[in-house]
Amino acid sequence: MTEADDTPLVSVIIPTYRRSAFLRRAIESVLAQTYSPVEVIVVEDGSREAREIVSSFGPRVTYIWQENQGAAVARNTAADAARGEWLALLDDDDFWIPDKLERQFELLRAFPSLGFVHSNYFWFRNGRGEPRPNRQVHSVPSGWVTQQLVLDRFSIGTSTALVRAELFRKVGGFNPTYRLVQDYDLWVRLSQVAQFGYLATPLAYYEAEAPEELATLCRKSLANVTILDAFVHANPDLCREWPQGRLRGRFNRVHRTCARRYFAANEIGLARRHFFKAWTWRPSEVSSLAYGLLCLTGQTGVRTLRALYHARERLGHRQLAS
């Protein structure tokens, strides 16, 4: 950035759906930022709870209502209305620390070639922030990160993301096909046109009180498989240049996770399919093949597989305690 655009307008995008208990906190955290200028755009996705809350902030916050179409469409709707050179994403149940944007622009001034900046974040539980239990939060890659993002899937908190508006529009914004994991799909596409920057300092709070339902976890796993398949088919030459062992390992892991979640949900046919898929990506891993075959043997095999899982869990707990 040059001195003339040292403090460009940031458009903060907040999609909301039946989260009135949290929305005010999210908006207040934006209006309390030490950085300016900022505009806030709230898109209510089909529910009828947010208008009164938004109107209480006056002209500082723009309210848009749309028929229920999902968070991806709501974010795109806000981006269409945004006037800022930069778009900042914030989920309605999350919130920022006061100098979140200021710190991100300090990084941008030091590295003006960046087109996307994100950061570490706290989990918010029982009314207080907790450090994330992830040892990799200080080693997240920066620069051109497509390979690491696809093969290693490092974490990007949606509510920490700051992206150049022109690049967001260049890649087409969020893909409304994905009701879940739409953020990962966008990160992968953005990584092909933008250098990424990362701050290890937590700059946001992620609401982590409610555990996700198993059905939601299953759909997320399947979406991850779909996104990876789409990327490989769209970029065959690029993927051939990457370490093939890591690529096969990534597909093995994502199918194995999918299989285990479907198995826990008693969707045995889908579990079997993904166990076999995991094995085809890494034939040396015979456990996936064995689990898939056990899923073919009816209730006897299912009981055996459940017993194996429970035994592995007990062994893991004992190893952690020793």
Side-chain angles (χ1 to χ4, degrees):
M1 292 185 296
T2 65
E3 279 190 29
D5 60 1
D6 198 45
T7 55
L9 175 65
V10 176
S11 298
V12 182
I13 292 172
I14 306 177
T16 189
Y17 177 76
R18 294 183 177 175
R19 290 246 182 86
S20 57
F22 297 106
L23 179 60
R24 182 177 296 278
R25 181 182 68 185
I27 296 173
E28 288 174 344
S29 78
V30 177
L31 298 179
Q33 288 295 296
T34 56
Y35 176 94
S36 64
V38 170
E39 68 171 359
V40 186
I41 304 171
V42 175
V43 176
E44 187 163 24
D45 184 42
S47 53
R48 299 281 185 178
E49 302 175 3
R51 183 186 291 273
E52 183 176 350
I53 294 170
V54 173
S55 64
S56 69
F57 292 98
R60 295 179 296 174
V61 184
T62 299
Y63 173 84
I64 300 172
W65 186 90
Q66 68 175 31
E67 296 284 350
N68 181 249
Q69 300 172 75
V73 176
R75 292 185 179 113
N76 288 343
T77 297
D80 288 341
R83 297 179 295 115
E85 296 175 47
W86 290 83
L87 305 178
L89 306 179
L90 177 59
D91 288 347
D92 55 0
D93 57 341
D94 299 339
F95 60 104
W96 292 344
I97 69 168
D99 60 348
K100 184 260 190 191
L101 291 176
E102 183 178 346
R103 292 195 180 204
Q104 289 183 306
F105 275 99
E106 286 174 357
L107 182 66
L108 284 166
R109 292 183 193 106
F111 300 97
S113 63
L114 297 177
F116 183 95
V117 179
H118 65 112
S119 77
N120 192 7
Y121 54 90
F122 291 113
W123 282 357
F124 194 72
R125 287 175 169 168
N126 303 314
R128 61 187 180 87
E130 299 178 2
R132 292 162 57 210
N134 187 335
R135 284 175 289 184
Q136 277 71 50
V137 295
H138 295 289
S139 59
V140 174
S142 293
W144 296 104
V145 299
T146 303
Q147 180 175 316
Q148 297 97 319
L149 192 55
V150 172
L151 299 186
D152 301 327
R153 181 61 191 277
F154 59 85
S155 175
I156 297 178
T158 302
S159 291
T160 74
L162 178 68
V163 58
R164 290 186 189 272
E166 63 177 314
L167 297 178
F168 179 91
R169 296 183 177 111
K170 181 177 181 178
V171 301
F174 286 93
N175 186 341
T177 302
Y178 299 113
R179 284 279 181 147
L180 297 169
V181 202
Q182 72 252 188
D183 50 354
Y184 180 53
D185 168 71
L186 178 63
W187 310 153
V188 171
R189 288 183 285 117
L190 278 172
S191 71
Q192 295 178 276
V193 299
Q195 292 189 59
F196 280 34
Y198 173 74
L199 292 166
T201 302
L203 299 180
Y205 290 88
Y206 166 74
E207 181 65 47
E209 289 283 8
E212 292 185 295
E213 295 180 354
L214 183 56
T216 300
L217 292 173
C218 288
R219 292 197 300 273
K220 280 189 171 183
S221 293
L222 187 59
N224 277 320
V225 170
T226 304
I227 289 166
L228 287 175
D229 278 337
F231 179 84
V232 170
H233 283 105
N235 301 276
D237 294 336
L238 177 63
C239 291
R240 276 193 287 270
E241 296 174 1
W242 290 352
Q244 295 303 292
R246 287 176 61 197
L247 182 64
R248 289 192 295 271
R250 174 74 167 113
F251 273 90
N252 167 268
R253 292 191 302 275
V254 76
H255 278 291
R256 197 170 65 232
T257 298
C258 207
R260 288 172 174 171
R261 286 176 173 174
Y262 275 124
F263 184 80
N266 211 35
E267 297 278 357
I268 305 305
L270 290 170
R272 178 182 69 242
R273 174 181 165 189
H274 287 283
F275 276 131
F276 285 147
K277 283 278 191 180
W279 174 68
T280 60
W281 280 102
R282 182 168 280 174
S284 61
E285 188 189 75
V286 294
S287 60
S288 292
L289 174 62
Y291 293 157
L293 292 172
L294 282 171
C295 287
L296 284 170
T297 61
Q299 287 302 312
T300 300
V302 170
R303 285 194 295 270
T304 301
L305 189 48
R306 292 196 192 284
L308 288 171
Y309 272 169
H310 293 324
R312 283 183 59 179
E313 289 177 2
R314 288 194 297 271
L315 177 61
H317 290 320
R318 282 201 298 271
Q319 288 174 338
L320 288 173
S322 61

